[in-house]
Amino acid sequence: MSGHNQHGDHHGHDHGHDSHHHDAHDHGSLKSYSIGFILSVILTAIPFWLVMNKTISNSGTLGLVLLAFAAVQVVVHMVYFLHMNAKSEGGWNMMALIFTVIIVVIAMAGSLWVMYHMNTNMMPSMMPEMNMNSAS
C-alpha cells in the first residue's frame, strides 16, 4: 500500500502546467482587454456610420472599405482576445491561421468566379434573343 501511495504522489495534479501561468504573454490583462474592446467598438462604429450616413456613394468602394474594416477587426480580436501571435503554441497557431485563410480565400474566390460566370453566361444571352423573336 505504501508503494502505491508513493506512485500516486508521483502522478499528482501538477503535470508541469505551472510554467504557463507565469508567462505574461499567454493571458490577457485588464488593460489589453480594454484596448481590444475599445478598438472593436471603434471598428464597428465607423463602418456603421459610413453606411447609415451614405458617406460613400459608390457601392463597390463602400464594400471594399467595409471589408478592410472587417479584416482589421478580425486581427484585433485575434491579438487582444485570442492572444494569437507568431510565438504562441510554438508557431502552430499561426500555421493553422495561414492554412485557414488560404482555404477561405480559395472557397470564396471560386464561389464568386462561378456566380459571375453563371450570371454572364446564362441570363444576358437569353434576353436579346427573346426580344428579337418577339419583335419579328
Side-chain angles (χ1 to χ4, degrees):
M1 283 289 199
S2 65
H4 181 66
N5 287 341
Q6 288 174 353
H7 185 70
D9 290 341
H10 177 67
H11 291 289
H13 294 287
D14 184 23
H15 297 292
H17 292 296
D18 250 356
S19 63
H20 293 291
H21 295 293
H22 298 295
D23 189 6
H25 298 291
D26 286 343
H27 304 287
S29 64
L30 180 62
K31 180 182 176 183
S32 71
Y33 283 123
S34 299
I35 292 170
F37 176 73
I38 290 168
L39 287 174
S40 295
V41 168
I42 291 169
L43 291 170
T44 301
I46 292 173
F48 182 78
W49 177 78
L50 289 172
V51 170
M52 292 307 291
N53 291 330
K54 298 180 173 122
T55 307
I56 301 173
S57 59
N58 185 352
S59 63
T61 305
L62 179 63
L64 290 175
V65 169
L66 293 178
L67 284 175
F69 273 102
V72 172
Q73 191 165 89
V74 166
V75 171
V76 165
H77 282 261
M78 288 188 328
V79 170
Y80 287 100
F81 299 121
L82 298 177
H83 312 295
M84 288 181 65
N85 58 29
K87 296 176 188 141
S88 63
E89 299 292 330
W92 284 107
N93 278 346
M94 190 58 65
M95 291 293 284
L97 174 67
I98 292 169
F99 178 73
T100 302
V101 168
I102 290 171
I103 295 299
V104 167
V105 166
I106 289 171
M108 289 180 68
S111 297
L112 291 173
W113 181 72
V114 166
M115 288 187 285
Y116 172 77
H117 285 287
M118 290 291 288
N119 186 34
T120 57
N121 291 333
M122 300 277 292
M123 294 306 292
S125 63
M126 296 177 77
M127 295 302 284
E129 290 177 24
M130 291 174 63
N131 290 340
M132 286 183 181
N133 290 339
S134 62
S136 307

